[in-house]
Amino acid sequence: MPDCAPPLAQITPVGQTLPAHACDSHFHIFGPADVFPYAEQRPYTPPDAPFEQLRRLHRQLGISRGVIVQPGCHGYDMAATLDALDRGAGQYRAVALLAPDADERRIAELDRRGVRGVRYNFVAHLANAGWDELAAMAPRIAPFGWHVCIHSDQASLPGLLTRLKTLPVPFVIDHMGRAAAAQGTTSEAFRALLALRGHPGAWVKISGLDRVSSSGVRPFQDGEPLVSALLDAMPERLLWGTDWPHPNVAGAMPDDGELLNTFLRLCPDADLRRQILVDNPDRLYRFESVDSP
């Protein structure tokens, strides 16, 4: 039985037209479990959220590109994600979970299919592979132009950033590092995030507004100062994502249309919007380069 709530069936309409090739840089595909079973040892059991459902959401939002982040409930089994990439007509990319023994041949195959990075979790409620595994993988993925994707939290972020800067690959911080909104833009974790400005290998996702919110109440306005501070400091290193279908939500289930409207309101400049929604993801995920399956 699922232990996570499903995403909202109805979302708020998006108030403005997005630029062509707008990208949702963070979401997950779940199942369907009767085709793509969940891992036996999984940190949570979600309701199915298959690729077809994701495509409907993206049509509603006006999004044509996206990045699938391999979820912990599927573990190292990339079948659901690879199926979505194959069906996505070149408009989707992915970030993998890789077994520690993944070799160059496996990485090359995933790269050909559209995978562009490897994710590691450093939050307490998810499996934490540890720094040694990440550091050993980095030189293996470097020749492919991949990055490491980091799911951190308020406690782990500052120490991780010091280490991440030593890697031979770029790194992406998910969900604004999950810095706590209640501590504002002057907390140690968020100041460390802002200090990435100018670092050539650092990227930050404006995603998970509900995950940084300390209220847990829609529309998660207490997290907006964090978004605004990042927009002011480093728009050339930002990515935007929904985090659909929002697994393990502690408070109110996010409304994806509402989340996008919040971003558009906080980023009214058309050129900056295009940079964050189109140009930045195109640079990092290389949408122009993928072979046919």
Side-chain angles (χ1 to χ4, degrees):
M1 292 292 293
D3 54 24
C4 300
L8 296 180
Q10 300 293 326
I11 64 169
T12 300
V14 178
Q16 301 178 55
T17 301
L18 302 186
H21 308 303
C23 180
D24 176 354
S25 293
H26 191 106
F27 59 87
H28 311 285
I29 299 292
F30 296 150
D34 60 347
V35 179
F36 304 111
Y38 300 124
E40 288 189 13
Q41 301 298 320
R42 56 185 179 270
Y44 56 88
T45 302
D48 287 347
F51 183 61
E52 295 83 0
Q53 188 176 349
L54 180 278
R55 290 297 292 266
R56 287 195 297 271
L57 172 74
H58 280 173
R59 285 193 292 268
Q60 288 179 280
L61 297 177
I63 286 171
S64 59
R65 289 177 171 177
V67 181
I68 308 161
V69 177
Q70 174 76 358
C73 61
H74 278 297
Y76 297 135
D77 184 352
M78 295 285 293
T81 292
L82 292 175
D83 175 73
L85 290 176
D86 291 347
R87 295 164 61 194
Q91 297 306 298
Y92 289 85
R93 295 290 180 266
V95 173
L97 297 178
L98 283 186
D101 61 353
D103 59 16
E104 181 178 337
R105 182 175 179 179
R106 172 62 170 165
I107 296 168
E109 167 63 12
L110 293 175
D111 183 76
R112 186 185 71 80
R113 301 281 288 273
V115 176
R116 295 294 181 258
V118 187
R119 195 184 199 211
Y120 292 92
N121 289 297
F122 291 91
V123 293
H125 68 276
L126 295 170
N128 185 343
W131 178 261
D132 290 345
E133 182 180 322
L134 185 160
M137 184 64 69
R140 250 176 282 168
I141 65 174
F144 297 90
W146 284 20
H147 63 275
V148 292
C149 182
I150 304 298
H151 187 195
S152 63
D153 55 21
Q154 179 89 0
S156 62
L157 181 64
L160 280 171
L161 291 180
T162 300
R163 290 177 160 189
L164 289 167
K165 292 176 185 178
T166 69
L167 294 177
V169 294
F171 59 92
V172 178
I173 304 299
D174 287 347
H175 309 325
M176 298 179 278
R178 295 185 69 154
Q183 297 187 25
T185 58
T186 60
S187 70
E188 179 189 4
F190 197 73
R191 283 189 287 109
L193 202 62
L194 292 178
L196 294 175
R197 179 180 183 176
H199 190 285
W203 299 85
V204 178
K205 287 181 188 171
I206 303 175
S207 58
L209 192 62
D210 61 299
R211 300 192 188 279
V212 303
S213 172
S214 299
S215 73
V217 177
R218 284 178 41 203
F220 315 112
Q221 289 179 306
D222 58 329
E224 291 183 11
L226 306 187
V227 176
S228 295
L230 287 166
L231 288 168
D232 289 341
M234 49 193 300
E236 74 284 356
R237 311 304 296 179
L238 299 181
L239 308 154
W240 178 87
T242 59
D243 193 30
W244 185 91
H246 312 285
N248 296 307
V249 166
M253 179 59 63
D255 176 328
D256 294 288
E258 199 171 63
L259 292 174
L260 183 50
N261 284 334
T262 295
F263 167 73
L264 295 174
R265 173 170 52 81
L266 296 176
C267 186
D269 183 274
D271 290 338
L272 284 185
R273 287 180 182 176
R274 178 174 177 81
Q275 183 173 35
I276 294 166
L277 293 174
V278 182
D279 298 339
N280 290 351
D282 194 40
R283 287 170 57 199
L284 184 64
Y285 300 110
R286 291 178 283 126
F287 280 95
E288 75 286 355
S289 58
V290 67
D291 297 334
S292 298

